[in-house]
Amino acid sequence: MASVTDPTRDPSASGKAAIADTHRIGDVLVEDGAITAEQLSKLLRVQARLEDHKPIGQLAIELGMLTRARLEEALRKHRRGLSIEGILVERGVIRAEQVAAARDALKGSSSDVARHLVDIGAVSERVYLLAYCERHGMSFIDVEPGLVDRSLLKKVSIKYLSRHRLVPLSVKDGRLNVVISDVGQSELAAELERLYGVPITFWVSERHKIAATLSALENETAEGRVATNRRIEYRNVAPGVTDDAGGAAEIVESVILRAIRDRASDIHFEPDPSRLRIRNRIDGQLIPVAEYPATLSAAIISRVKVLAEADIAEHRVHQQGRIYIRCDGEDIDLRASFYVTVAGENAVLRILRKGSTLVGLEEMGFSPATLTTFIQDVLEPNSGMLLVTGPTGSGKTTTLYASLQRLVDSSSKVITCEDPVEYVVDGITQCSVSDRPGMSFVDSLKSIVRQDPDIILVGEIRDAESANMAIHSALTGHKVLTTFHTEDTVGALVRLIQMDIEPFLISSTITAIVGQRLVRRQCAHCRVDYTPTAMEVRALGLSRDELGGFSLTKGRGCPACHYTGYHGRVGVYELLVMNDLLRDTILQKPAAHEIRRVAQEAPDFVSLQEDGVAKALRGETTLSEIAANCPRRPMMRPLRQLMEMCA
Ligand SMILES: [Zn+2]
């Protein structure tokens, strides 16, 4: 290793190789219009005077001649003119001297310089493969068994796949996606095309991940199909009850299994005159997953109705039902709804997973500074009211329960009134409100205060009456946690004032308001660098100059994310902690813009949009998700400062 990285070993050769790379990248930048020829000659002069070699691109950024994003763009455009090791040097991953030394070491052999750098441990395989993908215009993916469509394994043996280090993933838009390890394997395209009869799209993954995936698939095959085929147990349907016209039972089972595996929240069975379409809602988006001929529609819907214990003879009224299943050791409830349409009955299954719903505060995506403030200034005081705001589906209830879990201990009494109880939590007293006399929200709240509680969780404030009740509970020394359906934190204060709640009650009871959104997370499997569109930049009130210092990424779409570029979701938050100035302002019954001005002037207030932009710049989500989901406000502070606050 020492001999390879030692630049003094053969100074003349190393120097020459480094200079050769430098010239090519410099020319690329000039040709691309990123810098001028004069700037290049200045850069070369500066570079020559430096004691430690610095890549031209890096130097140009440091001297303010171009931004990192611009450099990446030029590199991408000209990747075919650059070597992989050249890309690695420009990225600052390795030094030009290391490349030169590797070239010397390989003199006379046909081995690849970049691969050699991996073999000697100078570069990780992942970093090398990312550059390899860039050079060859391919995509990187973290392959895993969950991505593999098992039906593709019928045509080839695992032995064959292992020999060629490849994994077939899925067929999409008439092309077969295949993962390979690296160089030279594209020759396999012809053979695979012949085997599967469709053109091939290649993806690249690390060798050890391919090997691990193949061995997992091999174990699965060895266990036999009997074990893997029937993985759903129906807890409420007698085993003998089936209605298996055209394999409907098997179809429904595979649809449900797939939805569970893909973390879907709902399954839609949508018949129309020409077909039955099945779509899954994943991370809030509907994704088409399958289509069946219209001749099977009735049998499939009927099978779902049997499972949900709905009336299969009745086709003219809307119905509801429930399916209780056990899958891979997890009890899952499916809430079924059948809606009569002109084209037949539509079925929607809402998947209710009990196991995975409670999340800790630390895992919710609060920035460290916000989390500390939230715990110390909002949760720890024994009284006061916490409002969690946001639209439906923004994760308000999750935040409420995560907060509650922090507060529950043997010395405090926690009582809830919810509509209905969503998560059952140990050690607290929970109540579902209902339409029955004496069981309404207001009735329940009146009774709760006589139950000697310390902490009261009110599912949701819906009107002035429940708002008043909740505020009065807080006024009498209880800690109250609740949700409120408003756009953001300031919106909640404005709504309360509009509900004619006494301003002094608002300012004396509310401790803090959390505003939140759930946005989609970038897919980690297919992340690529990108330049934001003019619309995204404008929508968020950003400037290209400021963004230039950051390298932005987004998912380009791959089998792992159903070609959406997103996988999972992350919370975006704003936390408004009441301060004296804000309390005084509220007493004046001010206009909305006045409250907003005072709130935003608090030095550590980070708005939803700001928190979202910070998360996009860190690659957790994208600017377009933030523009689409967060209320747009002028950005209050420079990006650098924002990134420090949210670090
Ligand atoms: Zn992806």
Side-chain angles (χ1 to χ4, degrees):
M1 177 91 185
S3 69
V4 175
T5 53
D6 182 0
T8 60
R9 191 167 147 265
D10 182 356
S12 60
S14 306
K16 253 180 259 161
I19 287 164
D21 271 347
T22 284
H23 272 295
R24 277 169 67 190
I25 285 145
D27 292 342
V28 159
L29 290 174
V30 173
E31 205 178 294
D32 200 53
I35 57 172
T36 63
E38 292 74 48
Q39 283 177 315
L40 175 59
S41 43
K42 182 182 173 197
L43 285 169
L44 290 170
R45 281 199 306 276
V46 174
Q47 190 186 39
R49 282 203 303 272
L50 290 176
E51 283 196 9
D52 286 329
H53 174 79
K54 226 173 225 172
I56 278 291
Q58 197 57 43
L59 211 51
I61 292 174
E62 284 173 22
L63 295 179
M65 291 181 189
L66 82 166
T67 62
R68 176 156 302 280
R70 187 69 182 84
L71 170 66
E72 299 277 337
E73 189 191 322
L75 285 180
R76 258 197 310 281
K77 229 188 266 177
H78 294 272
R79 62 188 172 211
R80 281 172 205 283
L82 293 172
S83 62
I84 295 172
E85 50 276 20
I87 294 174
L88 291 172
V89 170
E90 273 311 300
R91 284 260 155 97
V93 176
I94 46 169
R95 285 176 292 115
E97 292 85 352
Q98 289 174 285
V99 174
R103 275 192 195 128
D104 287 350
L106 289 174
K107 206 160 274 171
S109 105
S110 63
S111 299
D112 183 74
V113 174
R115 185 81 229 181
H116 175 74
L117 289 165
V118 176
D119 293 341
I120 62 169
V123 177
S124 76
E125 189 183 12
R126 188 185 181 90
V127 167
Y128 154 69
L129 288 176
L130 286 170
Y132 174 83
C133 286
E134 193 168 304
R135 167 73 177 76
H136 294 282
M138 296 171 80
S139 300
F140 186 83
I141 189 167
D142 283 317
V143 67
E144 51 176 270
L147 302 180
V148 179
D149 177 348
R150 306 299 196 266
S151 67
L152 295 171
L153 302 177
K154 289 179 189 148
K155 297 205 170 158
V156 287
S157 68
I158 299 281
K159 206 169 263 164
Y160 171 87
L161 297 175
S162 302
R163 193 166 59 239
H164 296 290
R165 289 206 191 97
L166 57 91
V167 183
L169 291 183
S170 53
V171 176
K172 167 82 180 172
D173 298 334
R175 297 186 70 88
L176 174 67
N177 292 294
V178 175
V179 176
I180 55 174
S181 73
D182 67 345
V183 215
Q185 301 237 13
S186 304
E187 296 144 24
L188 284 166
E191 196 171 337
L192 288 168
E193 269 188 54
R194 197 166 39 73
L195 268 170
Y196 286 99
V198 286
I200 311 294
T201 300
F202 280 112
W203 300 73
V204 175
S205 193
E206 290 148 286
R207 287 182 182 178
H208 70 94
K209 290 214 168 119
I210 291 178
T213 301
L214 289 174
S215 84
L217 292 172
E218 189 164 29
N219 289 340
E220 211 173 87
T221 326
E223 279 168 23
R225 297 228 165 73
V226 193
T228 50
N229 232 356
R230 268 230 158 245
R231 277 189 302 167
I232 289 190
E233 271 173 59
Y234 297 100
R235 292 181 281 140
N236 61 331
V237 180
V241 183
T242 49
D243 176 16
D244 208 3
E250 202 175 300
I251 290 173
V252 171
E253 175 153 336
S254 73
V255 165
I256 294 175
L257 267 177
R258 171 162 188 184
I260 291 170
R261 199 184 67 206
D262 288 349
R263 310 165 294 108
S265 59
D266 303 81
I267 310 172
H268 292 239
F269 296 80
E270 304 166 313
D272 65 34
S274 61
R275 62 184 175 167
L276 173 76
R277 179 168 66 164
I278 296 185
R279 293 192 291 172
N280 288 345
R281 190 176 292 282
I282 301 171
D283 299 332
Q285 304 280 111
L286 276 174
I287 313 264
V289 290
E291 271 182 26
Y292 296 98
T295 48
L296 281 176
S297 295
I300 291 175
I301 296 290
S302 170
R303 171 65 183 166
V304 179
K305 286 169 84 175
V306 167
L307 294 175
E309 296 178 302
D311 182 353
I312 55 166
E314 178 58 79
H315 301 286
R316 287 160 308 174
V317 297
H318 310 313
Q319 294 191 64
Q320 269 145 43
R322 214 146 171 137
I323 307 175
Y324 301 93
I325 61 171
R326 169 174 279 267
C327 179
D328 291 336
E330 183 187 357
D331 282 347
I332 299 171
D333 293 1
L334 306 172
R335 197 175 63 206
S337 157
F338 304 92
Y339 189 76
V340 181
T341 76
V342 289
E345 283 165 291
N346 237 294
V348 175
L349 298 179
R350 162 67 52 92
I351 302 176
L352 304 163
R353 307 183 80 145
K354 295 171 171 175
S356 58
T357 36
L358 281 181
V359 185
L361 268 184
E362 287 79 7
E363 302 146 53
M364 296 188 49
F366 282 111
S367 72
T370 305
L371 183 63
T372 309
T373 312
F374 186 63
I375 291 172
Q376 290 178 356
D377 299 351
V378 182
L379 294 185
E380 281 177 6
N382 286 326
S383 61
M385 182 153 145
L386 166 67
L387 285 173
V388 182
T389 70
T392 308
S394 58
K396 297 191 289 284
T397 312
T398 310
T399 305
L400 216 54
Y401 275 93
S403 309
L404 196 60
Q405 274 188 307
R406 269 260 159 186
L407 296 171
V408 174
D409 61 37
S410 56
S411 66
S412 58
K413 170 100 172 173
V414 182
I415 307 189
T416 77
C417 83
E418 305 165 72
D419 183 21
V421 169
E422 288 184 44
Y423 308 122
V424 176
V425 183
D426 269 353
I428 70 174
T429 309
Q430 292 176 281
C431 162
S432 282
V433 302
S434 72
D435 297 336
R436 277 184 290 140
M439 283 298 288
S440 74
F441 244 116
V442 173
D443 296 329
S444 301
L445 270 172
K446 275 183 194 152
S447 298
I448 280 182
V449 287
R450 289 194 287 269
Q451 286 277 316
D452 185 28
D454 297 293
I455 300 164
I456 302 172
L457 184 147
V458 180
E460 187 185 3
I461 286 184
R462 300 146 156 214
D463 48 29
E465 195 179 15
S466 50
N468 256 316
M469 294 285 305
I471 282 181
H472 277 96
S473 311
L475 203 60
T476 48
H478 303 107
K479 189 166 188 72
V480 177
L481 278 58
T482 186
T483 69
F484 199 19
H485 190 126
T486 59
E487 194 184 37
D488 60 8
T489 54
V490 172
L493 291 174
V494 174
R495 268 282 298 287
L496 288 172
I497 293 173
Q498 284 169 350
M499 282 176 163
D500 276 333
I501 312 277
E502 286 294 339
F504 79 91
L505 288 178
I506 300 174
S507 72
S508 57
T509 53
I510 293 178
T511 317
I513 309 173
V514 173
Q516 67 179 71
R517 293 290 186 280
L518 272 182
V519 296
R520 290 181 294 164
R521 207 182 260 285
Q522 275 185 29
C523 172
H525 292 90
C526 57
R527 192 172 285 179
V528 290
D529 293 325
Y530 95 115
T531 314
T533 63
M535 225 169 66
E536 288 163 353
V537 174
R538 196 159 8 92
L540 293 166
L542 301 166
S543 76
R544 281 216 184 273
D545 281 351
E546 240 195 322
L547 279 174
F550 298 89
S551 49
L552 283 157
T553 55
K554 72 171 189 178
R556 69 197 288 177
C558 73
C561 59
H562 305 94
Y563 303 91
T564 58
Y566 295 98
H567 192 268
R569 285 193 281 186
V570 60
V572 171
Y573 304 95
E574 71 180 25
L575 172 62
L576 179 62
V577 181
M578 292 292 261
N579 56 38
D580 290 342
L581 186 57
L582 202 50
R583 286 194 186 94
D584 289 346
T585 310
I586 289 169
L587 292 178
Q588 323 293 324
K589 275 206 177 191
H593 66 86
E594 181 60 15
I595 303 185
R596 191 172 307 283
R597 190 186 59 76
V598 174
Q600 289 188 334
E601 272 171 10
D604 48 3
F605 178 80
V606 176
S607 72
L608 277 169
Q609 176 176 326
E610 288 177 316
D611 188 43
V613 166
K615 286 186 166 116
L617 293 184
R618 275 202 305 269
E620 289 176 53
T621 180
T622 60
L623 291 177
S624 60
E625 271 295 281
I626 301 309
N629 290 291
C630 296
R632 297 184 194 169
R633 312 271 179 239
M635 293 293 280
M636 299 306 286
R637 37 177 82 86
L639 287 182
R640 291 274 167 214
Q641 189 193 343
L642 177 66
M643 294 307 280
E644 274 165 32
M645 291 179 74
C646 297

